[in-house]
Amino acid sequence: MKKNKIMQQLVTFASLIIMIIFFSITSSQFFSITNFMTIALQTAIIGIIAIGMTFVIITGGIDLSVGSIVAFSGVIMGMAMKAGIPTILAIILGLISGIACGIINGLLVSKANLPPFITTLGLMMITRGLVLAITNGIPVSGLNDGFDKLSGGTVLGIPNPVIYLIIITAIFSFVLKKTVIGKYTYAVGSNEAASKLSGVNVDKVKLFVYGLSGFLCAISGILLASRLISAQPTEGTGYEMDAVAAVVIGGASLMGGSGSILGTILGAFIMSTLKNGLNMLNVSGFWQQFAIGVVVLVAVYIDSLKNKK
């Protein structure tokens, strides 16, 4: 099992390298430190969201509400700032709102036994409608002074969001590999019935993974608001598909029981590199969607072949 995971990560990494070589040959502007930093910055937001999605998918679930939670958390934080609440407290409120959305998903999936697809699709529509209603579709501007530095600064030339992605990747790689909750996450996805018989509290595991997904979405929403210097109620549209694609390309199975944080981050980099390279080649956004869809279908097909074996 461990050898298979390492092999999958090597294949994903090799695919990324081949993609970089191809775009470096076809575009003179692609291979540069500046462009690589741009790709890393583009990867950071989706990468953070995809880490939470990894935990959810490993349990055999899915979270389609991530994009709406990103917007909801950012708007709650922005409105708190506009009401005169200090930056730290406003950020905490944004994080709490994201966690609350995740826990609602977890409760509906675990306690009400609703299918994750339907549950998170419903919450996606509820939170998006709510955030548009409370803002009238108008971005929340006038955020606190200095808040833009949260995303706007750099450390040794590396953008802050990339630093946050590295830290979050390290933390949750450890959680997934070395902690009890990480082992239970794999166990629930591999065989939920057997996990219950073994004494695993499956409901708590599901609450944890969906709550974590909401928390990481909130972090991404706050970072986006900092970068744009406003909280956009339409932000995060389509992020759920990007996050799922990153996780699947990274080697996780939609059937549950397998996946890794490192693989997901590599998958997120493949997505960003593909979009960036196609932009360099002046390929229209419509064809970019087509190309990404093909990549996702190939990844899912490979996963289905592995499951059959």
Side-chain angles (χ1 to χ4, degrees):
M1 186 73 173
K2 191 173 182 180
K3 287 183 179 179
N4 290 339
K5 186 185 291 186
I6 293 172
M7 183 59 67
Q8 177 66 51
Q9 291 175 353
L10 287 174
V11 169
T12 307
F13 182 70
S15 301
L16 178 61
I17 296 300
I18 291 169
M19 195 176 290
I20 290 172
I21 293 171
F22 172 78
F23 286 127
S24 297
I25 293 171
T26 54
S27 174
S28 59
Q29 298 177 328
F30 182 84
F31 197 85
S32 67
I33 296 297
T34 301
N35 191 48
F36 286 154
M37 284 296 107
T38 299
I39 292 172
L41 189 58
Q42 291 170 343
T43 304
I45 300 299
I46 289 298
I48 292 171
I49 297 169
I51 288 172
M53 186 71 80
T54 303
F55 278 82
V56 172
I57 287 179
I58 288 174
T59 63
I62 195 166
D63 189 353
L64 299 180
S65 63
V66 292
S68 296
I69 295 175
V70 166
F72 182 70
S73 302
V75 165
I76 292 296
M77 180 209 64
M79 293 181 73
M81 285 187 182
K82 207 162 184 179
I85 295 175
T87 301
I88 296 297
L89 291 179
I91 289 174
I92 291 172
L93 284 174
L95 293 174
I96 290 172
S97 66
I99 294 169
C101 290
I103 289 176
I104 290 171
N105 276 332
L107 286 172
L108 291 173
V109 170
S110 61
K111 300 296 185 182
N113 291 319
L114 297 179
F117 185 93
I118 299 300
T119 298
T120 58
L121 178 64
L123 193 75
M124 176 185 78
M125 298 171 70
I126 290 169
T127 49
R128 182 67 70 183
L130 182 59
V131 79
L132 288 170
I134 62 179
T135 62
N136 288 318
I138 300 171
V140 180
S141 55
L143 305 184
N144 293 351
D145 293 339
F147 176 64
D148 59 309
K149 294 179 181 178
L150 188 67
S151 284
T154 61
V155 177
L156 300 176
I158 302 174
N160 283 351
V162 180
I163 299 295
Y164 304 144
L165 175 63
I166 293 169
I167 293 170
I168 291 170
T169 298
I171 291 171
F172 290 104
S173 289
F174 176 82
V175 170
L176 193 56
K177 289 180 180 178
K178 302 296 184 182
T179 66
V180 172
I181 190 65
K183 293 176 182 177
Y184 285 174
T185 300
Y186 281 112
V188 170
S190 297
N191 193 321
E192 185 173 323
S195 298
K196 287 181 179 178
L197 292 173
S198 301
V200 175
N201 191 325
V202 173
D203 289 350
K204 284 187 178 179
V205 173
K206 290 182 178 180
L207 277 174
F208 169 77
V209 298
Y210 283 99
L212 174 62
S213 180
F215 170 67
L216 293 177
C217 286
I219 290 177
S220 295
I222 290 165
L223 291 177
L224 274 172
S226 173
R227 187 196 299 180
L228 301 172
I229 321 177
S230 66
Q232 306 281 339
T234 56
E235 193 59 76
T237 303
Y239 280 14
E240 54 280 345
M241 292 299 102
D242 288 342
V244 171
V247 177
V248 173
I249 291 169
S253 172
L254 290 173
M255 301 297 291
S258 68
S260 68
I261 303 301
L262 178 57
T264 291
I265 297 304
L266 288 173
F269 268 103
I270 285 176
M271 294 280 291
S272 298
T273 302
L274 181 59
K275 290 180 180 180
N276 181 273
L278 292 175
N279 279 331
M280 291 281 185
L281 296 176
N282 294 318
V283 175
S284 75
F286 305 119
W287 285 109
Q288 288 184 34
Q289 289 295 319
F290 175 85
I292 291 167
V294 169
V295 170
V296 173
L297 285 176
V298 170
V300 172
Y301 178 67
I302 292 171
D303 174 55
S304 68
L305 291 178
K306 289 190 297 182
N307 287 329
K308 284 180 182 178
K309 289 181 181 179

